[in-house]
């Protein structure tokens, strides 16, 4: 049976009860109506008839009184009219005998009427007024009183009956009322009881289904709805069970896949030879690979405190990289091997580890942690040290012979040791230029090795910015003029002095201006500007040269890096040294450039009078 038919069936008891009640009400009302009508038929007609009979009797009496009063004609006519009327009313009464004793009373009335008529006839025969009057009082009036009394008896009989019947009717209608109230209450009670139980039975499967849905919603994929039958709810329950079954299968398969994927990725990071750590945004340890456990002696189970066992220096580096990444500044790339940190506790002895970091993103793209890789650069660092040692040694060894070579060439070229031909002089000048360039490279190398070996001791002094600029530009002026490049400088009045190591800063400025001149075509310009930038002093060296592609801009600060196609003569060290010197002063160095639009190299220094 369908749910619709069941619900319709559930209304049946109520409808049945209403039907029964309706029929009962109609029958009872009809009965009451009939009883009322009966009263009318039975008694009211007799009441009317006897009243009229009394009326006719009185008219006849007044006709007799007319005759007594001498109005014989009028009295005779009036009594003649009344007689048949009374006769007819009497006939009506005789045909409407309904009460016990009414037939005898009517007989008595008829007899009295008969006697009154004979008395009247005899009265009419009397012609003498005196005799008529005497007959009236002797026989006619008593006969009239008797007939009237008989009519009144019938009237009283019927009136009593009416009162009795009306009492009975009132009693009956009171009973009907009580019966109806009881019937309504019973019909409503039974109807509601049956309807509720039928509706409940029809809807029980809905609650079974809803319980199953709730359990599934709470994550219980084993929840099923057991509903028998073929109706819509049973069909819905079967569909629900199929859905729950599929959901269960899906969950089992996706959980398995998830575990497998986790095992695969753990195996992948464990296979990396370098330590890998995943830190949460709050610094808690989320994951580590086998190398990290071995080298840093970390244990994931130790949770948030795990980093507490790491050597303080390593921990500081890890914290710094994490803060960089979690702070939203993107991936962290080290600038060179000098950032490597030494770990002594490693099972293979001291190791140099170079930190890198990349962000871990949450579902909505926000940074929720950082993956830190500590690249083992022990061997590379060793090579770097060897290379630096070699470079320093070679540069040092080159310095003295180069100076004497330059001196010798200078003396010969100037003709101090004898005359030289023009051709010889040209060759000697070219050799002297090459010597000077070589000397520049050797100086750069020596600076670099000093900086790298931590020997960069700054001799900080208060210097006039104007003097600093003049010196730096003067050193480049001859070359700039030779190349047809204009040199200019401007200085904002609020940066009169700077607190720097003048020789070192001269080197930085000389380097940047020299690069600008080198990379600017004839008729171009190199402009130096010094201005205040909040709590900093900002130096800018702007040229109108070829500019630097974006992909080159980060690399030009690396040691020994020279852009492809760069003019010969440099060793790719100038910018690296300049940056080291600026950083040693507590500043930053960078570049803004685009191909074809020149370059602006800038660096900042803390202001001497800044708080
Ligand atoms: P080098 O002494 O070889 O010039 P630097 O470290 O001073 O080395 O510069 C590195 C590279 O940066 C150079 O090879 C050059 O290609 C590029 N570069 C530096 N300054 C400029 C500039 N003003 N305009 C264009 N390229 C420049």
């Amino acid at each position: 049976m369908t749910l619709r038919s069941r619900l319709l069936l559930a209304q049946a008891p109520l409808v049945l009860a209403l039907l029964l009640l309706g029929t009962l009400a109609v029958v009872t009302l009809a009965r009451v109506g009939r009883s009322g009508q009966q009263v009318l038929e039975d008694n009211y007609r007799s009441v009317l008839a006897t009243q009229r009979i009394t009326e006719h009797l009185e008219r006849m009496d007044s006709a007799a009184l007319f005759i007594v009063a001498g109005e014989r004609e009028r009295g005779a006519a009036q009594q003649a009219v009344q007689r048949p009327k009374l006769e007819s009313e009497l006939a009506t009464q005789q045909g409407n005998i309904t009460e016990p004793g009414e037939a005898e009373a009517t007989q008595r009335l008829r007899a009295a009427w008969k006697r009154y008529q004979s008395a009247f006839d005899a009265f009419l025969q009397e012609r003498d007024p005196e005799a008529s009057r005497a007959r009236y009082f002797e026989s006619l009036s008593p006969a009239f009183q008797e007939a009237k009394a008989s009519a009144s008896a019938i009237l009283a009989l019927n009136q009593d009956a009416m009162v009795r019947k009306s009492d009975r009717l009132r009693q009956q209608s009171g009973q009907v009322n009580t019966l109806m109230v009881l019937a309504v209450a019973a019909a409503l009670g039974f109807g509601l009881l049956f309807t509720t139980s039928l509706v409940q039975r029809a809807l029980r499967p809905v609650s079974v289904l809803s319980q199953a849905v709730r359990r599934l919603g709470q994550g219980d994929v084993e929840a099923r709805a057991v509903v028998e039958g073929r109706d819509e709810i049973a069909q819905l329950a079967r569909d629900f069970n199929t859905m729950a079954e599929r959901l269960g299968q899906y969950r089992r398969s996706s959980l398995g896949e998830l575990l497998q994927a986790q095992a695969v990725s753990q195996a992948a990071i464990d296979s990396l030879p370098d330590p890998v750590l995943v830190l949460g945004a709050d610094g808690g340890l989320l994951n580590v690979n086998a190398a990290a456990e071995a080298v840093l002696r970390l244990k994931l189970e130790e949770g948030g405190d795990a980093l507490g066992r790491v050597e303080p220096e390593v921990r500081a580096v890890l914290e710094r990289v994490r803060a960089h990444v979690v702070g939203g500044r993107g991936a962290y790339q080290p600038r060179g091997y000098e950032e490597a940190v030494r770990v002594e506790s490693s099972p293979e002895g001291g190791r140099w580890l170079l930190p890198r970091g990349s962000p871990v993103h949450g579902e909505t793209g926000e940074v929720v942690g950082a993956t830190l890789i500590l690249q083992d650069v022990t061997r590379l660092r060793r090579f770097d040290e060897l290379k630096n040692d070699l470079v320093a040694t070679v540069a040092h060894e080159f310095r003295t012979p180069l100076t004497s070579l330059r001196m010798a060439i200078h003396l010969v070229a100037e003709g101090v040791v004898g005359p030289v031909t023009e051709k010889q002089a040209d060759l000697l000048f070219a050799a002297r230029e090459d010597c000077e360039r070589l000397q520049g490279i050797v100086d750069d190398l020596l600076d670099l090795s000093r900086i790298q070996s931590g020997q960069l001791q700054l001799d900080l002094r208060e210097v006039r910015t104007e003097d600093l600029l003049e010196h730096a530009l003067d050193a480049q002026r001859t070359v700039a003029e030779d190349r047809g490049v204009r040199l200019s400088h401007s200085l904002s009045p609020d940066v009169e002095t700077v607190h720097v190591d003048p020789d070192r800063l001269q080197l930085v400025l000389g380097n940047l201006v020299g690069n600008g001149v080198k990379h600017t075509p004839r008729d171009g310009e190199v402009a130096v500007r010094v201005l205040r930038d909040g709590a900093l002093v900002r130096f800018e060296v702007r040229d109108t040269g070829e500019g630097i592609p974006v992909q080159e801009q980060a690399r030009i600060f690396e040691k020994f890096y020279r852009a492809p196609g760069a003019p010969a003569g440099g060793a790719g060290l100038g910018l690296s040294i300049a940056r080291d010197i600026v950083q040693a002063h507590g500043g930053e160095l960078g570049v803004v450039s685009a191909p074809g639009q020149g370059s602006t190299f800038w660096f900042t220094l803390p202001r001497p009078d800044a708080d």
Side-chain angles (χ1 to χ4, degrees), residues 444 511-512 515-520 543 545-548 556-558 561-567 569-576 599 601:
D444 277 356
N511 217 305
L512 297 181
N515 275 350
V517 170
K518 219 186 321 178
H519 290 276
T520 301
D543 64 50
E546 77 265 15
I548 308 163
I556 54 175
F557 297 100
E558 289 174 15
Y561 181 79
R562 307 196 62 241
L573 288 173
L575 288 177
S576 159
S599 313
F601 281 86

Side-chain angles (χ1 to χ4, degrees), residues 257-267:
E257 279 169 21
L258 206 69
L259 288 173
Q260 198 178 355
Q262 198 185 14
V264 167
S265 53
Q266 187 63 42

Side-chain angles (χ1 to χ4, degrees), residues 263-373:
V264 167
S265 53
Q266 187 63 42
I269 69 163
D270 278 347
S271 71
L272 294 174
D274 294 327
V276 177
L277 302 89
V278 184
L279 298 179
D282 57 353
L285 190 61
L286 301 181
N287 201 4
V288 283
N289 70 347
E293 286 185 347
V295 175
L296 301 175
R297 299 189 190 286
L298 277 175
K299 275 273 165 271
L300 189 56
E301 297 79 58
E302 286 169 18
D305 249 8
L307 285 184
R309 294 183 55 184
V310 177
E311 293 164 37
E313 273 177 36
V314 183
R315 186 178 179 161
V317 169
L318 293 176
E319 285 295 343
R320 183 164 51 83
V321 178
R322 185 191 65 80
H324 174 100
V325 175
V326 172
R329 286 193 275 159
Y332 179 84
Q333 293 291 347
R335 276 190 295 107
Y337 295 123
E338 55 279 8
E339 277 197 37
V341 60
R342 193 167 168 82
V343 178
E344 298 295 349
S345 60
S346 157
E348 296 153 17
R351 316 289 314 159
W352 285 98
L353 300 176
L354 187 64
R356 287 174 204 283
S358 52
V360 177
H361 294 286
E363 270 175 50
T364 47
E366 79 284 14
V367 179
V368 293
T371 304
L372 271 48
I373 301 175

Side-chain angles (χ1 to χ4, degrees), residues 9-53:
L9 192 73
Q11 311 299 321
L14 258 185
V15 172
L16 221 68
L18 270 177
L19 222 65
L20 258 168
L21 211 63
T23 321
L24 194 69
V26 167
V27 170
T28 317
L29 280 177
R31 242 178 63 198
V32 172
R34 259 203 314 278
S35 306
Q37 204 177 351
Q38 203 63 49
V39 174
L40 271 184
E41 274 175 11
D42 291 355
N43 304 106
Y44 193 62
R45 219 179 285 161
S46 297
V47 168
L48 267 184
T50 46
Q51 272 176 350
R52 282 190 195 132
I53 286 171

